[in-house]
Amino acid sequence: MKAIKIYVAALGLLSLGACKKDFLDTKQVTAVTDQNFYKTPKDAFTALVGCYDGLQVVWSEGIALPVAAEVMSDNTFGATGNSDGFGYQMIDEFDKSRSPSDQNLYNRNWVLYYRALFRCSTLLGKLDQIEWGSDIQLRKTYESEARFLRAYLLFDMVRLWGNIPLLTAPSTDNLPQSNPDEVYKVIAGDLKFAAENLPQVAYPAQAVANHGRVTRYAAESLIGRVFLYYTGYYAKADLVGLVSKTEALAYLEDVVAKGGYGLIENFANLWPAASLTSYAGEDNKETIFAIKYTYTSDYQGNTDGNHWMVMMGMREQAIYPYGNGWGAETVNPKLWNAYLPTDTRRVGSIISIADENLPFTNQKGQREYTGYYVKKYSPMIGKDGKPLPEAYGNTSFQIGQFQDYVSIRYADVLLMAAELGSGNAQSYFDSVRQRAYKTAFTPLAVSQDNIIKERRLEFAFEGIRYYDLLRQGIDKAAQEIAETTTVLNGGVSAEKKISAANIIATKGLQQIPYTQITLSSGTLKQNAGW
C-alpha cells in the first residue's frame, strides 16, 4: 500500500465500522492494497463507503468544525469547565496568549482530513481500472459522490486554515501550501461534475437505503454555499471563473424546482431535544445532506458516533430531557435577545435555564456561564435518567451520541437563492419566516441585511453563522463578534473580552497545528496572527 507523507503515517485504505444506516452497513475491510483491489464495481463501492466513513470521522477527535465555527462566531462563548485549560478561550478570542501551549488543538483534525482526502483521491485515481461493463452511469455516480466528498472536505479545510497543501492524488511529497484559488478550483470543478452527472432523483423517490448518500441537489446546494463564501470573503465577482452568480442561482433554483424538498411544518420538530415525541426524524424532507452517525462507537476503533455533540451539553449535569456534557458552548445572551418572543426558533434552538425552570446547580463547574445552552445538538437522557445511547447498549455518553449533523437544509437553499436575487426572493424569504412565526408572522421586505439577520436566527448552532459573518468582510465580522461582557466563571462574575483587532490580525483563520509545521521541516508556514 502506498504511504502518504502529508504529515501522517502510512494509511490503511479502509476502516469501516458498523452503522445503523443501510448504506454504511458493511464488513470491516482489512489487508487490501492497490495491487489486489479496485477491479470490480463492488470494489469501487466498498472504497466509496470508505470515503463516506472518512468524512464521518474527521471530527471524532480534536476540535470539530461545527463546534469551532459556533465558538468563533457571536453565537456562543468557548466556556468549558472552570478548571479546564484555556484552549477554547484561545479559539473564541483569536488570542494565542490565552493558552500558548495549545498549539495542536486541531492536529488530529488535520490528520483525519488528509486521511479522508487520501481515500477520495485514491478511488478517483483508480476508476479507469475498474471493469464497469455497460453501466456507464454507475461510474459517473461513484465518481460524483467521491468528488463531492473531496470538495466538502477541502471547503472545510480552506475555510478553517486558509492556506493548505492541496492533495488531489496520493503523494509522498512534502507539499507546500497552495493559493486558496487553486483549492477553490478543485472544489468548484468537483461540485460542478457532481451536479451535472448525478441522477435527477427527487427526495420522495429516493430509496431509504440511499439516505445519507450525495445527491445532485446536495451538490447544487453546496455550490451556492461555496459561491457566496468565496465571492464574499475574497471580494470576487465569481467562483474562480468556473461559476458565475447567475449559474450559482440556477443551481439553487433547480433544487427548489426539482428536488422535491420542503420545510417541516414546525421548526422544533427538526431537533430531537426540542421536540421529543414529535421529532420529524432523520432524513426528513428538509434534509438535503447530513453526516450520518450511529451509537456503535467504542474505544477499540469504531468511530461511528457523534463524538463532538457532548461538547454542547450542559456542564456535568443532566436534566431531562437534556443530557450531561462539557459545556463548551454557552450561548451568548445577545443571541437569545435577537429573537422575538413570538419566534418559535428561540425555544427550538436554545435551552434557557430560567425560562424552562431547570434546576441547574453546577454553575461553579462551568466557565463563562450565561444561563443558556445549545438545544439543537444537546445530548439527551431518557425519563429514567440514563443517557440515550444506553438504550442501544452503548454505555459511553461521550462517544455514543448518534444525532446526525444536518449540513444542508432546504431552508438554507431558499435563503441563498433569495440572496442571489431570485425572482421569487420575497416568497422564499417569507416561507422561512412564516414557519418561524406561525400566526404571529408579519411581512418583512427581503434585503441583504434582513436575509443575513434571518440566517442567524434560522441556522444558529449549525456551523453557518461564522462563515456568514466572514463573507461580509473581515472588518464587518470582527465588529459583530467583538465584545466586552460579564459572565460567571465558577459562579463568580468575570469580564469576557473578545478583541476585533485579534480577529482582523488572523483574518478569521485558525492556527495550523505546530506538529504539522515541524514535520514538514518548515515547508508549512503558520497563519498570520498565530
Side-chain angles (χ1 to χ4, degrees):
M1 183 65 188
K2 293 179 179 177
I4 179 173
K5 293 184 180 178
I6 296 289
Y7 328 121
V8 294
L11 306 175
L13 177 63
L14 302 171
S15 177
L16 310 179
C19 187
K20 71 181 186 294
K21 287 34 172 211
D22 290 342
F23 171 57
L24 293 181
D25 259 342
T26 186
K27 294 180 180 179
Q28 183 104 349
V29 178
T30 58
V32 294
T33 68
D34 287 347
Q35 286 71 41
N36 66 15
F37 204 61
Y38 300 110
K39 294 181 179 179
T40 69
K42 183 178 179 180
D43 294 337
F45 179 77
T46 302
L48 179 62
V49 173
C51 296
Y52 278 95
D53 181 70
L55 175 60
Q56 186 183 53
V57 303
V58 290
W59 302 328
S60 60
E61 301 177 61
I63 309 292
L65 188 60
V67 176
E70 292 300 321
V71 169
M72 291 186 288
S73 79
D74 53 351
N75 283 346
T76 73
F77 297 128
T80 66
N82 194 48
S83 60
D84 287 344
F86 290 90
Y88 274 75
Q89 280 64 47
M90 180 177 67
I91 294 172
D92 194 8
E93 300 166 24
F94 297 82
D95 185 357
K96 186 176 180 179
S97 69
R98 291 290 272 137
S99 191
S101 63
D102 274 319
Q103 302 178 67
N104 281 304
L105 286 175
Y106 294 99
N107 188 58
R108 284 301 296 164
N109 305 109
W110 181 281
V111 170
L112 293 171
Y113 270 114
Y114 275 106
R115 182 174 298 178
L117 279 179
F118 180 85
R119 292 179 180 185
C120 294
S121 295
T122 299
L123 172 57
L124 291 169
K126 298 296 182 180
L127 290 175
D128 285 341
Q129 70 186 50
I130 301 291
E131 298 172 2
W132 295 101
S134 60
D135 197 344
I136 303 302
Q137 181 57 50
L138 185 63
R139 177 199 163 122
K140 289 181 178 179
T141 296
Y142 288 3
E143 180 175 357
S144 295
E145 290 180 76
R147 291 183 70 165
F148 174 96
L149 294 171
R150 180 169 68 180
Y152 191 103
L153 294 161
L154 287 171
F155 188 44
D156 274 5
M157 296 166 72
V158 75
R159 286 182 299 165
L160 189 60
W161 293 302
N163 304 286
I164 60 171
L166 178 57
L167 181 72
T168 57
S171 171
T172 59
D173 296 333
N174 187 4
L175 300 176
Q177 290 147 295
S178 297
N179 183 293
D181 276 6
E182 297 176 34
V183 179
Y184 277 99
K185 285 179 181 177
V186 174
I187 294 171
D190 282 351
L191 292 177
K192 287 186 67 175
F193 183 91
E196 293 162 9
N197 288 281
L198 283 165
Q200 296 187 55
V201 181
Y203 171 79
Q206 291 174 17
V208 173
N210 285 338
H211 285 163
R213 292 182 69 171
V214 175
T215 65
R216 170 187 293 257
Y217 305 110
E220 291 179 329
S221 301
L222 190 54
I223 288 173
R225 181 176 292 178
V226 173
F227 177 89
L228 283 169
Y229 180 76
Y230 175 83
T231 56
Y233 183 77
Y234 295 101
K236 300 290 182 68
D238 58 31
L239 178 55
V240 290
L242 296 179
V243 181
S244 68
K245 181 178 179 180
T246 300
E247 291 169 325
L249 175 59
Y251 282 122
L252 295 173
E253 295 283 28
D254 192 60
V255 178
V256 176
K258 301 177 183 176
Y261 300 98
L263 298 177
I264 295 297
E265 184 178 355
N266 296 311
F267 180 83
N269 292 354
L270 290 165
W271 318 106
S275 56
L276 301 181
T277 58
S278 57
Y279 173 45
E282 297 173 347
D283 308 310
N284 59 67
K285 66 179 181 179
E286 193 164 338
T287 300
I288 293 177
F289 184 69
I291 297 178
K292 313 296 288 181
Y293 295 110
T294 191
Y295 44 77
T296 56
S297 276
D298 55 34
Y299 292 104
Q300 284 75 51
N302 290 322
T303 51
D304 299 321
N306 186 330
H307 292 195
W308 52 267
M309 205 165 87
V310 69
M311 302 306 296
M312 296 187 176
M314 295 186 295
R315 182 72 190 187
E316 296 181 321
Q317 185 174 344
I319 308 171
Y320 178 79
Y322 312 120
N324 179 33
W326 303 135
E329 288 191 9
T330 52
V331 177
N332 190 330
K334 288 184 177 180
L335 176 59
W336 174 267
N337 294 327
Y339 290 94
L340 293 175
T342 52
D343 190 336
T344 61
R345 293 172 298 192
R346 182 163 76 171
V347 296
S349 304
I350 302 173
I351 299 169
S352 171
I353 299 299
D355 290 89
E356 296 184 38
N357 296 311
L358 300 176
F360 185 76
T361 59
N362 192 37
Q363 286 86 350
K364 288 187 177 180
Q366 176 74 68
R367 180 181 294 148
E368 298 177 356
Y369 179 76
T370 64
Y372 302 103
Y373 287 99
V374 175
K375 185 178 291 187
K376 284 183 179 178
Y377 287 101
S378 171
M380 295 177 67
I381 59 170
K383 290 184 177 180
D384 59 2
K386 295 181 180 179
L388 216 55
E390 287 194 20
Y392 299 92
N394 193 323
T395 58
S396 176
F397 75 93
Q398 296 187 65
I399 63 174
Q401 303 297 329
F402 52 89
Q403 183 177 334
D404 291 347
Y405 171 60
V406 182
S407 173
I408 307 174
R409 289 197 282 120
Y410 184 62
D412 193 7
V413 170
L414 293 175
L415 292 180
M416 287 192 294
E419 187 174 347
L420 286 172
S422 169
N424 298 311
Q426 188 67 56
S427 65
Y428 292 167
F429 184 62
D430 287 347
S431 64
V432 173
R433 296 186 68 252
Q434 285 169 337
R435 194 257 300 269
Y437 289 99
K438 299 293 186 182
T439 58
F441 169 78
T442 55
L444 181 66
V446 66
S447 68
Q448 174 78 9
D449 187 54
N450 285 339
I451 290 172
I452 292 295
K453 290 178 180 177
E454 202 64 34
R455 290 179 64 82
R456 184 188 190 191
L457 305 178
E458 179 72 22
F459 305 118
F461 320 125
E462 297 178 46
I464 291 176
R465 169 65 175 175
Y466 180 63
Y467 296 109
D468 277 350
L469 288 172
L470 281 188
R471 66 184 177 84
Q472 297 177 71
I474 189 64
D475 291 341
K476 171 70 171 177
Q479 180 185 2
E480 292 289 331
I481 296 169
E483 70 172 293
T484 300
T485 190
T486 300
V487 294
L488 293 179
N489 289 344
V492 178
S493 181
E495 182 182 80
K496 169 71 174 180
K497 184 175 182 179
I498 301 175
S499 166
N502 290 344
I503 301 169
I504 293 170
T506 61
K507 299 181 182 179
L509 302 174
Q510 286 291 295
Q511 63 178 326
I512 293 172
Y514 175 77
T515 293
Q516 303 306 322
I517 294 174
T518 300
L519 290 174
S520 75
S521 300
T523 298
L524 289 178
K525 307 301 180 185
Q526 187 57 270
N527 285 324
W530 294 104

